[in-house]
Each structure stands twice: as C-alpha cells, then as structure tokens.
Amino acid sequence: MYFTPRIKYVGFLSGEKTLKVKWYTPEGSLSTGNSSPNGFSQSETYNIMTNSNTLTLRGWGNKNKGHWKKGTYRIEIWYNEICLKTKTFTVY
C-alpha cells in the first residue's frame, strides 16, 4: 500500500524542480530505501507548469498491506534545502 502526497505550490516558475521528501515513522525514524539519497527518503525531479499549482509526488510504501503500522507519521517536502511543508497523518 502506497501513500502518495500532493503539494499545492505558489511562486514556482516553470521548469524542472527537484523535490526531496522525508518520511518519518511513528517512532521518529527516517524511512529509507535502497535508492534513498543521504538524509532523505526520496528525491525526484518534476516538471513544474505555471498554469497549474498542484503536484502529485511519487508514493512511498510497498505492495504489502501491512507496510504501514498503526501510529502517527510525519512527511516533510524539501526544495533547495528549505522545508516547504510538514504534515502528519495517522494510520489506525
């Protein structure tokens, strides 16, 4: 089961932007995988369009239903070493 965050942005100019994401477990540990960049869970380059202001990011998880255990998770979305948004969500 994958969670796929979406960000609403204001002020980005058109072009390619690299966004990095940090996914934290309920215990506060950073979730990482084999292709995770140092200090982040994932990094992806997106093509930003000025006529749009929302972007769906790549999901995090795996095919197994039990990947997400109960608890409150935190996600951070970063651009150019600045945290754009932090959000928590709870899995019951």
Coordinates of all heavy atoms in Angstrom, one line a residue:
M1 N 0.8 -1.2 0.0 CA 0.0 0.0 0.0 C 0.9 1.2 0.0 O 1.8 1.4 0.8 CB -0.9 0.0 1.2 CG -1.9 1.1 1.3 SD -3.1 0.9 2.5 CE -2.3 1.4 3.9
Y2 N 0.7 2.1 -0.9 CA 1.4 3.3 -1.1 C 0.6 4.6 -0.7 O -0.6 4.6 -0.9 CB 1.9 3.5 -2.5 CG 2.9 2.5 -3.0 CD1 2.4 1.3 -3.6 CD2 4.2 2.7 -2.9 CE1 3.3 0.4 -4.0 CE2 5.1 1.7 -3.3 CZ 4.7 0.6 -3.9 OH 5.6 -0.4 -4.3
F3 N 1.3 5.5 0.0 CA 0.7 6.8 0.2 C 1.4 7.8 -0.8 O 2.6 7.7 -1.0 CB 1.0 7.3 1.6 CG 0.1 6.7 2.7 CD1 0.7 5.9 3.6 CD2 -1.2 6.9 2.7 CE1 -0.1 5.3 4.6 CE2 -2.0 6.3 3.6 CZ -1.5 5.5 4.6
T4 N 0.6 8.6 -1.5 CA 1.0 9.5 -2.5 C 0.7 10.9 -2.1 O -0.5 11.3 -2.3 CB 0.4 9.1 -3.9 OG1 0.7 7.7 -4.1 CG2 1.0 9.9 -5.0
P5 N 1.6 11.7 -1.6 CA 1.3 13.0 -1.2 C 1.1 14.0 -2.4 O 1.6 13.7 -3.5 CB 2.5 13.5 -0.4 CG 3.6 12.6 -0.9 CD 3.0 11.4 -1.4
R6 N 0.4 15.0 -2.2 CA 0.2 16.1 -3.2 C 0.5 17.4 -2.5 O 0.1 17.6 -1.4 CB -1.3 16.0 -3.7 CG -1.5 16.8 -5.0 CD -2.8 16.5 -5.6 NE -3.9 17.0 -4.7 CZ -5.1 16.9 -5.0 NH1 -5.5 16.3 -6.1 NH2 -6.0 17.4 -4.2
I7 N 1.2 18.3 -3.3 CA 1.5 19.6 -2.7 C 0.9 20.6 -3.6 O 0.8 20.5 -4.8 CB 3.1 19.7 -2.7 CG1 3.4 21.0 -1.9 CG2 3.7 19.6 -4.0 CD1 4.9 21.2 -1.6
K8 N 0.4 21.7 -3.0 CA -0.1 22.9 -3.7 C 1.0 23.9 -3.5 O 1.4 24.2 -2.5 CB -1.4 23.3 -3.0 CG -2.1 24.5 -3.8 CD -3.4 24.8 -3.2 CE -4.1 25.8 -4.1 NZ -5.4 26.1 -3.6
Y9 N 1.4 24.5 -4.7 CA 2.5 25.4 -4.6 C 2.1 26.8 -5.2 O 1.2 26.9 -6.0 CB 3.7 24.8 -5.4 CG 3.5 24.4 -6.8 CD1 3.6 25.4 -7.8 CD2 3.1 23.1 -7.1 CE1 3.4 25.0 -9.1 CE2 2.9 22.8 -8.5 CZ 3.0 23.7 -9.4 OH 2.8 23.4 -10.7
V10 N 2.8 27.8 -4.7 CA 2.6 29.1 -5.2 C 4.0 29.7 -5.4 O 4.9 29.6 -4.5 CB 1.9 30.0 -4.2 CG1 1.7 31.4 -4.7 CG2 0.5 29.4 -3.9
G11 N 4.3 30.3 -6.6 CA 5.5 31.0 -6.8 C 6.6 30.3 -7.5 O 7.7 30.8 -7.8
F12 N 6.4 29.0 -7.8 CA 7.4 28.3 -8.6 C 7.3 28.7 -10.0 O 6.2 28.9 -10.6 CB 7.1 26.8 -8.6 CG 7.8 26.0 -7.5 CD1 7.2 24.8 -7.0 CD2 9.0 26.4 -7.0 CE1 7.8 24.1 -6.0 CE2 9.6 25.7 -6.0 CZ 9.0 24.5 -5.5
L13 N 8.4 29.0 -10.7 CA 8.5 29.3 -12.1 C 8.5 27.9 -12.8 O 8.9 26.9 -12.3 CB 9.7 30.1 -12.4 CG 9.9 31.4 -11.7 CD1 11.2 32.1 -12.1 CD2 8.7 32.3 -12.1
S14 N 8.1 28.0 -14.1 CA 8.1 26.8 -14.9 C 9.5 26.2 -15.0 O 10.5 26.9 -15.0 CB 7.6 27.1 -16.3 OG 6.2 27.3 -16.3
G15 N 9.5 24.9 -15.1 CA 10.8 24.2 -15.3 C 10.9 23.0 -14.4 O 10.0 22.7 -13.6
E16 N 12.1 22.4 -14.5 CA 12.3 21.2 -13.7 C 12.8 21.6 -12.3 O 13.6 22.5 -12.1 CB 13.4 20.3 -14.3 CG 12.9 19.6 -15.6 CD 13.9 18.7 -16.1 OE1 15.1 18.7 -15.7 OE2 13.5 17.8 -17.0
K17 N 12.1 21.0 -11.3 CA 12.4 21.2 -9.9 C 12.7 19.9 -9.2 O 11.9 19.0 -9.4 CB 11.3 22.0 -9.1 CG 10.8 23.2 -9.8 CD 11.8 24.3 -9.8 CE 11.2 25.6 -10.4 NZ 12.0 26.3 -11.3
T18 N 13.7 19.8 -8.4 CA 14.0 18.6 -7.7 C 13.4 18.7 -6.2 O 13.9 19.6 -5.5 CB 15.5 18.2 -7.6 OG1 15.9 18.1 -9.0 CG2 15.7 17.0 -6.8
L19 N 12.5 17.9 -5.9 CA 11.9 17.9 -4.6 C 12.4 16.7 -3.8 O 12.4 15.6 -4.4 CB 10.4 17.9 -4.6 CG 9.7 19.1 -5.3 CD1 8.2 18.9 -5.4 CD2 10.1 20.4 -4.6
K20 N 12.7 16.9 -2.6 CA 13.1 15.7 -1.7 C 12.1 15.6 -0.6 O 11.5 16.5 -0.2 CB 14.5 16.0 -1.1 CG 15.6 16.1 -2.2 CD 16.9 16.3 -1.6 CE 18.0 16.3 -2.7 NZ 19.3 16.6 -2.1
V21 N 11.9 14.3 -0.2 CA 10.9 14.0 0.8 C 11.5 13.2 1.9 O 12.3 12.3 1.7 CB 9.7 13.2 0.1 CG1 8.6 12.9 1.1 CG2 9.1 14.0 -1.0
K22 N 11.0 13.5 3.1 CA 11.4 12.7 4.3 C 10.1 12.1 4.9 O 9.2 12.9 5.2 CB 12.1 13.6 5.4 CG 13.4 14.2 5.0 CD 14.0 15.0 6.1 CE 15.4 15.5 5.7 NZ 16.1 16.2 6.8
W23 N 10.1 10.8 5.0 CA 9.0 10.1 5.6 C 9.5 9.6 7.0 O 10.5 8.9 7.1 CB 8.6 8.9 4.8 CG 7.9 9.2 3.5 CD1 8.6 9.4 2.3 CD2 6.6 9.3 3.2 NE1 7.7 9.7 1.3 CE2 6.4 9.6 1.8 CE3 5.4 9.2 4.0 CZ2 5.2 9.8 1.2 CZ3 4.2 9.3 3.4 CH2 4.1 9.6 2.0
Y24 N 8.8 10.0 8.1 CA 9.2 9.6 9.4 C 8.2 8.6 10.0 O 7.0 8.8 9.8 CB 9.3 10.8 10.4 CG 10.5 11.7 10.1 CD1 10.4 12.8 9.3 CD2 11.7 11.4 10.6 CE1 11.5 13.6 9.0 CE2 12.8 12.2 10.4 CZ 12.7 13.3 9.6 OH 13.8 14.1 9.3
T25 N 8.7 7.6 10.7 CA 7.9 6.6 11.3 C 7.3 7.1 12.6 O 7.7 8.2 13.1 CB 8.7 5.3 11.6 OG1 9.6 5.7 12.7 CG2 9.4 4.7 10.4
P26 N 6.3 6.4 13.2 CA 5.7 6.9 14.4 C 6.8 7.0 15.6 O 6.6 7.8 16.5 CB 4.7 5.8 14.8 CG 4.2 5.3 13.5 CD 5.5 5.3 12.6
E27 N 7.9 6.2 15.4 CA 8.9 6.3 16.4 C 9.9 7.5 16.2 O 10.8 7.7 17.0 CB 9.7 5.0 16.4 CG 9.0 3.8 16.8 CD 8.1 3.2 15.7 OE1 8.4 3.4 14.5 OE2 7.1 2.6 16.0
G28 N 9.7 8.1 15.1 CA 10.6 9.3 14.7 C 11.8 9.0 13.8 O 12.6 9.8 13.6
S29 N 11.9 7.7 13.4 CA 13.0 7.3 12.5 C 12.7 7.7 11.0 O 11.5 7.6 10.6 CB 13.2 5.8 12.6 OG 13.5 5.4 13.9
L30 N 13.7 8.1 10.3 CA 13.6 8.4 8.9 C 13.5 7.1 8.1 O 14.3 6.2 8.3 CB 14.8 9.2 8.5 CG 14.9 9.6 7.0 CD1 13.8 10.6 6.6 CD2 16.2 10.1 6.6
S31 N 12.5 7.0 7.3 CA 12.3 5.8 6.4 C 13.2 6.0 5.2 O 13.2 7.0 4.5 CB 10.8 5.7 6.0 OG 10.0 5.5 7.1
T32 N 14.0 5.0 4.9 CA 14.8 5.0 3.7 C 14.7 3.7 3.0 O 14.3 2.7 3.5 CB 16.3 5.2 4.1 OG1 16.7 4.2 5.0 CG2 16.5 6.6 4.8
G33 N 15.1 3.7 1.7 CA 15.2 2.5 0.9 C 16.5 2.4 0.2 O 17.4 3.3 0.4
N34 N 16.7 1.5 -0.7 CA 17.9 1.3 -1.4 C 18.3 2.5 -2.3 O 19.5 2.7 -2.4 CB 17.8 0.0 -2.3 CG 17.7 -1.2 -1.5 OD1 18.1 -1.3 -0.4 ND2 17.2 -2.3 -2.2
S35 N 17.4 3.2 -2.8 CA 17.7 4.4 -3.7 C 17.6 5.7 -3.0 O 17.6 6.8 -3.6 CB 16.9 4.3 -4.9 OG 15.5 4.5 -4.6
S36 N 17.4 5.7 -1.6 CA 17.2 7.0 -0.9 C 18.5 7.8 -0.9 O 19.6 7.3 -0.7 CB 16.8 6.7 0.5 OG 15.6 6.1 0.6
P37 N 18.4 9.1 -1.2 CA 19.6 10.0 -1.1 C 19.9 10.2 0.4 O 19.1 10.1 1.3 CB 19.1 11.3 -1.7 CG 17.6 11.3 -1.7 CD 17.2 9.8 -1.6
N38 N 21.1 10.6 0.7 CA 21.6 10.8 2.0 C 20.7 11.8 2.8 O 20.6 12.9 2.3 CB 23.1 11.2 2.0 CG 23.7 11.2 3.4 OD1 23.2 10.5 4.3 ND2 24.6 12.1 3.6
G39 N 20.1 11.4 3.9 CA 19.3 12.3 4.7 C 17.9 12.4 4.3 O 17.1 13.2 4.9
F40 N 17.5 11.7 3.3 CA 16.1 11.8 2.8 C 15.6 10.4 2.4 O 16.3 9.5 2.2 CB 16.0 12.7 1.5 CG 16.3 14.1 1.8 CD1 17.6 14.6 1.7 CD2 15.3 15.0 2.1 CE1 17.9 16.0 2.0 CE2 15.5 16.3 2.4 CZ 16.8 16.8 2.3
S41 N 14.3 10.3 2.3 CA 13.6 9.1 1.9 C 13.6 9.0 0.4 O 13.9 7.9 -0.2 CB 12.2 9.0 2.4 OG 12.1 9.1 3.8
Q42 N 13.4 10.1 -0.3 CA 13.3 10.0 -1.8 C 13.6 11.4 -2.3 O 13.4 12.4 -1.7 CB 12.0 9.5 -2.2 CG 10.8 10.3 -1.8 CD 9.4 9.5 -2.0 OE1 8.6 9.6 -1.1 NE2 9.2 8.8 -3.0
S43 N 14.0 11.4 -3.6 CA 14.2 12.6 -4.4 C 13.7 12.4 -5.8 O 14.0 11.3 -6.4 CB 15.7 12.9 -4.4 OG 16.0 14.0 -5.2
E44 N 13.1 13.4 -6.3 CA 12.5 13.2 -7.7 C 12.5 14.6 -8.3 O 12.2 15.6 -7.7 CB 11.1 12.7 -7.6 CG 10.5 12.2 -8.9 CD 11.0 10.8 -9.3 OE1 11.5 10.0 -8.5 OE2 11.0 10.6 -10.5
T45 N 12.8 14.6 -9.6 CA 12.7 15.9 -10.4 C 11.3 15.9 -11.1 O 10.9 14.9 -11.8 CB 13.9 15.9 -11.4 OG1 15.1 15.9 -10.7 CG2 13.8 17.2 -12.2
Y46 N 10.7 17.0 -11.0 CA 9.3 17.2 -11.6 C 9.3 18.4 -12.5 O 10.1 19.4 -12.3 CB 8.3 17.5 -10.5 CG 8.2 16.3 -9.5 CD1 8.9 16.3 -8.3 CD2 7.3 15.3 -9.8 CE1 8.8 15.2 -7.4 CE2 7.2 14.2 -8.9 CZ 7.9 14.2 -7.7 OH 7.8 13.2 -6.8
N47 N 8.5 18.3 -13.5 CA 8.3 19.4 -14.5 C 7.2 20.3 -13.9 O 6.0 19.9 -13.9 CB 8.1 18.9 -15.9 CG 8.2 20.1 -16.9 OD1 8.8 21.0 -16.7 ND2 7.5 19.9 -18.0
I48 N 7.5 21.5 -13.5 CA 6.5 22.4 -13.0 C 5.9 23.3 -14.1 O 6.7 23.8 -14.9 CB 7.2 23.4 -11.9 CG1 7.8 22.5 -10.8 CG2 6.2 24.4 -11.4 CD1 6.8 21.8 -9.9
M49 N 4.6 23.4 -14.1 CA 3.9 24.3 -15.1 C 3.3 25.5 -14.4 O 2.7 25.3 -13.3 CB 2.8 23.5 -15.7 CG 3.3 22.2 -16.3 SD 4.4 22.5 -17.7 CE 3.7 21.4 -18.9
T50 N 3.5 26.7 -14.9 CA 3.0 27.9 -14.3 C 1.5 28.0 -14.3 O 0.9 28.6 -13.5 CB 3.6 29.2 -14.9 OG1 3.3 29.1 -16.3 CG2 5.0 29.3 -14.6
N51 N 0.8 27.2 -15.2 CA -0.6 27.3 -15.3 C -1.3 26.3 -14.3 O -2.5 26.2 -14.3 CB -1.1 27.1 -16.7 CG -0.7 25.7 -17.2 OD1 0.1 25.1 -16.7 ND2 -1.3 25.3 -18.3
S52 N -0.5 25.6 -13.6 CA -1.0 24.6 -12.6 C -0.4 24.9 -11.2 O 0.7 25.5 -11.2 CB -0.6 23.2 -13.0 OG -1.1 22.3 -12.1
N53 N -1.1 24.6 -10.1 CA -0.5 24.9 -8.8 C -0.5 23.7 -7.9 O -0.4 23.8 -6.7 CB -1.1 26.1 -8.2 CG -2.6 25.8 -7.9 OD1 -3.2 24.8 -8.3 ND2 -3.2 26.7 -7.1
T54 N -0.8 22.5 -8.4 CA -0.7 21.3 -7.6 C 0.2 20.2 -8.3 O 0.3 20.2 -9.5 CB -2.1 20.6 -7.4 OG1 -2.7 20.3 -8.6 CG2 -3.0 21.6 -6.6
L55 N 0.8 19.4 -7.5 CA 1.7 18.4 -8.0 C 1.6 17.1 -7.1 O 1.6 17.2 -5.9 CB 3.2 18.9 -7.9 CG 4.3 18.0 -8.4 CD1 4.2 17.7 -9.9 CD2 5.6 18.6 -8.0
T56 N 1.3 16.0 -7.7 CA 1.3 14.7 -7.0 C 2.7 14.1 -7.0 O 3.3 13.9 -8.1 CB 0.3 13.8 -7.7 OG1 -1.0 14.4 -7.7 CG2 0.2 12.5 -6.9
L57 N 3.2 13.8 -5.8 CA 4.5 13.3 -5.7 C 4.5 11.8 -5.8 O 3.4 11.2 -5.7 CB 5.1 13.7 -4.4 CG 5.2 15.2 -4.1 CD1 5.7 15.5 -2.7 CD2 6.0 15.9 -5.2
R58 N 5.7 11.2 -6.0 CA 5.8 9.8 -6.0 C 5.4 9.1 -4.7 O 5.7 9.7 -3.6 CB 7.2 9.4 -6.4 CG 7.4 8.0 -6.8 CD 8.8 7.8 -7.3 NE 9.8 8.3 -6.4 CZ 11.0 7.7 -6.2 NH1 11.2 6.5 -6.7 NH2 11.8 8.2 -5.4
G59 N 4.8 8.0 -4.7 CA 4.3 7.4 -3.5 C 5.4 6.7 -2.7 O 6.6 6.5 -3.2
W60 N 5.1 6.4 -1.4 CA 6.1 5.7 -0.5 C 5.3 4.5 0.1 O 4.2 4.7 0.6 CB 6.6 6.6 0.5 CG 7.6 6.0 1.4 CD1 7.5 5.5 2.6 CD2 9.0 5.9 1.1 NE1 8.7 5.1 3.1 CE2 9.6 5.3 2.2 CE3 9.8 6.2 0.0 CZ2 11.0 5.0 2.2 CZ3 11.2 5.9 0.0 CH2 11.7 5.3 1.1
G61 N 6.0 3.4 0.1 CA 5.4 2.2 0.7 C 5.8 1.0 -0.1 O 6.9 0.9 -0.7
N62 N 5.0 -0.1 -0.1 CA 5.2 -1.2 -0.9 C 3.9 -2.0 -1.2 O 2.9 -1.5 -0.8 CB 6.3 -2.2 -0.3 CG 5.9 -2.8 1.0 OD1 4.7 -3.1 1.2 ND2 6.8 -3.1 1.8
K63 N 4.0 -3.1 -1.9 CA 2.8 -3.8 -2.3 C 2.0 -4.4 -1.2 O 0.9 -4.8 -1.3 CB 3.2 -4.9 -3.3 CG 3.8 -4.3 -4.6 CD 4.1 -5.5 -5.5 CE 5.4 -5.2 -6.3 NZ 5.8 -6.3 -7.1
N64 N 2.7 -4.7 0.0 CA 2.1 -5.4 1.1 C 1.2 -4.5 1.9 O 1.6 -3.3 2.3 CB 3.1 -6.0 2.0 CG 4.0 -7.0 1.2 OD1 3.5 -7.7 0.3 ND2 5.3 -7.1 1.6
K65 N 0.0 -4.9 2.2 CA -0.9 -4.2 3.0 C -0.4 -3.8 4.4 O -0.6 -2.7 4.9 CB -2.2 -5.0 3.2 CG -3.3 -4.2 4.0 CD -4.5 -5.1 4.1 CE -5.5 -4.4 5.0 NZ -6.7 -5.3 5.3
G66 N 0.4 -4.6 5.0 CA 1.0 -4.4 6.3 C 2.2 -3.5 6.4 O 2.8 -3.4 7.5
H67 N 2.5 -2.8 5.3 CA 3.7 -2.0 5.4 C 3.6 -0.8 6.4 O 4.5 -0.5 7.1 CB 4.0 -1.4 4.0 CG 5.1 -0.4 3.9 ND1 6.4 -0.8 3.9 CD2 5.2 0.9 4.0 CE1 7.2 0.2 3.9 NE2 6.5 1.3 3.9
W68 N 2.4 -0.3 6.5 CA 2.1 0.8 7.4 C 1.5 0.3 8.7 O 0.4 -0.3 8.7 CB 1.2 1.8 6.7 CG 1.7 2.4 5.5 CD1 1.5 2.0 4.2 CD2 2.6 3.5 5.4 NE1 2.2 2.7 3.3 CE2 2.9 3.7 4.0 CE3 3.3 4.3 6.3 CZ2 3.7 4.7 3.5 CZ3 4.1 5.3 5.8 CH2 4.3 5.5 4.5
K69 N 2.2 0.5 9.8 CA 1.6 0.0 11.1 C 0.9 1.2 11.7 O 1.0 2.4 11.3 CB 2.7 -0.5 12.0 CG 3.8 0.5 12.3 CD 4.9 -0.1 13.1 CE 6.0 0.8 13.3 NZ 7.1 0.2 14.0
K70 N 0.1 0.9 12.8 CA -0.6 2.0 13.4 C 0.3 3.0 14.0 O 1.4 2.7 14.5 CB -1.5 1.4 14.6 CG -2.6 0.5 14.1 CD -3.4 -0.1 15.2 CE -4.5 -1.0 14.7 NZ -5.3 -1.5 15.8
G71 N -0.1 4.3 14.0 CA 0.6 5.3 14.6 C 0.6 6.6 13.7 O -0.1 6.7 12.7
T72 N 1.2 7.6 14.2 CA 1.2 8.9 13.6 C 2.6 9.1 12.8 O 3.6 9.0 13.5 CB 1.0 10.1 14.6 OG1 -0.3 9.9 15.2 CG2 1.0 11.4 13.9
Y73 N 2.5 9.3 11.6 CA 3.7 9.5 10.7 C 3.8 11.0 10.4 O 2.9 11.8 10.4 CB 3.5 8.8 9.4 CG 3.5 7.3 9.6 CD1 2.4 6.6 10.0 CD2 4.6 6.5 9.3 CE1 2.4 5.2 10.2 CE2 4.6 5.1 9.4 CZ 3.5 4.5 9.9 OH 3.5 3.1 10.0
R74 N 5.0 11.4 9.9 CA 5.3 12.8 9.5 C 6.0 12.7 8.2 O 6.8 11.9 7.9 CB 6.1 13.5 10.5 CG 6.3 15.0 10.2 CD 7.0 15.7 11.3 NE 8.5 15.7 11.1 CZ 9.4 15.1 11.9 NH1 9.0 14.5 13.0 NH2 10.6 15.1 11.6
I75 N 5.6 13.6 7.3 CA 6.2 13.8 6.0 C 6.7 15.2 5.9 O 6.0 16.2 6.3 CB 5.2 13.4 4.9 CG1 5.9 13.6 3.5 CG2 4.0 14.2 4.9 CD1 5.1 13.1 2.3
E76 N 7.9 15.4 5.3 CA 8.4 16.7 5.0 C 8.8 16.8 3.5 O 9.4 15.9 3.0 CB 9.7 17.0 5.8 CG 9.5 17.0 7.3 CD 10.8 17.1 8.1 OE1 11.8 17.2 7.5 OE2 10.7 17.2 9.3
I77 N 8.4 17.9 2.9 CA 8.7 18.1 1.5 C 9.7 19.3 1.4 O 9.5 20.4 1.9 CB 7.5 18.4 0.7 CG1 6.5 17.2 0.8 CG2 7.8 18.7 -0.8 CD1 5.1 17.4 0.2
W78 N 10.9 19.0 0.8 CA 12.0 19.9 0.7 C 12.3 20.4 -0.7 O 12.2 19.6 -1.6 CB 13.3 19.3 1.3 CG 13.2 19.0 2.8 CD1 12.4 18.1 3.4 CD2 13.9 19.7 3.8 NE1 12.6 18.1 4.8 CE2 13.5 19.1 5.0 CE3 14.8 20.8 3.8 CZ2 14.0 19.6 6.2 CZ3 15.3 21.2 5.0 CH2 14.9 20.6 6.2
Y79 N 12.8 21.6 -0.8 CA 13.2 22.2 -2.1 C 14.4 23.1 -1.8 O 14.2 24.0 -1.0 CB 12.1 22.9 -2.9 CG 12.6 23.6 -4.1 CD1 13.0 22.9 -5.2 CD2 12.7 25.0 -4.2 CE1 13.5 23.5 -6.4 CE2 13.2 25.6 -5.3 CZ 13.5 24.9 -6.4 OH 14.0 25.5 -7.6
N80 N 15.5 22.9 -2.4 CA 16.7 23.8 -2.3 C 17.1 24.0 -0.8 O 17.3 25.1 -0.3 CB 16.5 25.2 -2.9 CG 16.8 25.1 -4.4 OD1 17.3 24.1 -4.9 ND2 16.5 26.2 -5.1
E81 N 17.1 22.9 0.0 CA 17.5 22.9 1.4 C 16.5 23.6 2.3 O 16.8 24.0 3.4 CB 18.9 23.5 1.6 CG 20.0 22.9 0.7 CD 20.1 21.3 0.8 OE1 20.0 20.8 2.0 OE2 20.3 20.7 -0.2
I82 N 15.3 23.9 1.8 CA 14.2 24.5 2.6 C 13.0 23.6 2.7 O 12.6 23.1 1.7 CB 13.8 25.9 1.9 CG1 15.0 26.8 1.9 CG2 12.6 26.5 2.7 CD1 14.7 28.1 1.1
C83 N 12.5 23.4 3.9 CA 11.4 22.6 4.1 C 10.1 23.4 3.7 O 9.8 24.4 4.3 CB 11.3 22.1 5.6 SG 9.9 21.0 5.9
L84 N 9.4 23.0 2.6 CA 8.3 23.7 2.2 C 7.0 23.4 3.0 O 6.2 24.2 3.2 CB 8.0 23.3 0.7 CG 9.1 23.6 -0.3 CD1 8.7 23.1 -1.7 CD2 9.4 25.1 -0.4
K85 N 6.9 22.1 3.4 CA 5.7 21.7 4.1 C 6.0 20.5 5.0 O 6.7 19.6 4.6 CB 4.6 21.3 3.1 CG 3.3 20.9 3.6 CD 2.5 22.0 4.2 CE 1.2 21.6 4.7 NZ 0.5 22.6 5.4
T86 N 5.4 20.5 6.2 CA 5.4 19.3 7.1 C 4.0 19.0 7.4 O 3.1 19.8 7.6 CB 6.1 19.7 8.4 OG1 7.5 20.0 8.1 CG2 6.1 18.5 9.3
K87 N 3.7 17.7 7.3 CA 2.3 17.2 7.6 C 2.4 15.9 8.3 O 3.2 15.1 8.1 CB 1.6 17.0 6.2 CG 0.2 16.6 6.3 CD -0.7 17.7 6.6 CE -2.2 17.3 6.6 NZ -3.1 18.3 7.0
T88 N 1.5 15.7 9.3 CA 1.4 14.5 10.0 C 0.1 13.8 9.5 O -0.9 14.4 9.1 CB 1.4 14.6 11.5 OG1 0.3 15.4 11.9 CG2 2.7 15.2 12.0
F89 N 0.1 12.5 9.6 CA -1.1 11.7 9.3 C -1.1 10.4 10.2 O 0.0 10.0 10.6 CB -1.3 11.3 7.8 CG -0.2 10.5 7.3 CD1 -0.3 9.1 7.3 CD2 1.0 11.0 6.9 CE1 0.7 8.3 6.8 CE2 2.0 10.2 6.4 CZ 1.9 8.8 6.3
T90 N -2.3 9.9 10.6 CA -2.4 8.8 11.5 C -3.0 7.6 10.7 O -3.9 7.7 10.0 CB -3.3 9.2 12.7 OG1 -2.7 10.3 13.3 CG2 -3.4 8.0 13.7
V91 N -2.3 6.5 11.0 CA -2.8 5.2 10.4 C -3.5 4.5 11.6 O -2.8 4.3 12.7 CB -1.7 4.3 9.8 CG1 -2.2 3.0 9.5 CG2 -1.1 5.1 8.7
Y92 N -4.7 4.1 11.5 CA -5.4 3.4 12.6 C -5.5 1.9 12.4 O -5.4 1.4 11.3 CB -6.9 3.9 12.7 CG -6.9 5.4 13.1 CD1 -7.0 6.4 12.1 CD2 -6.8 5.7 14.4 CE1 -7.0 7.7 12.4 CE2 -6.9 7.1 14.8 CZ -6.9 8.0 13.8 OH -7.0 9.4 14.1

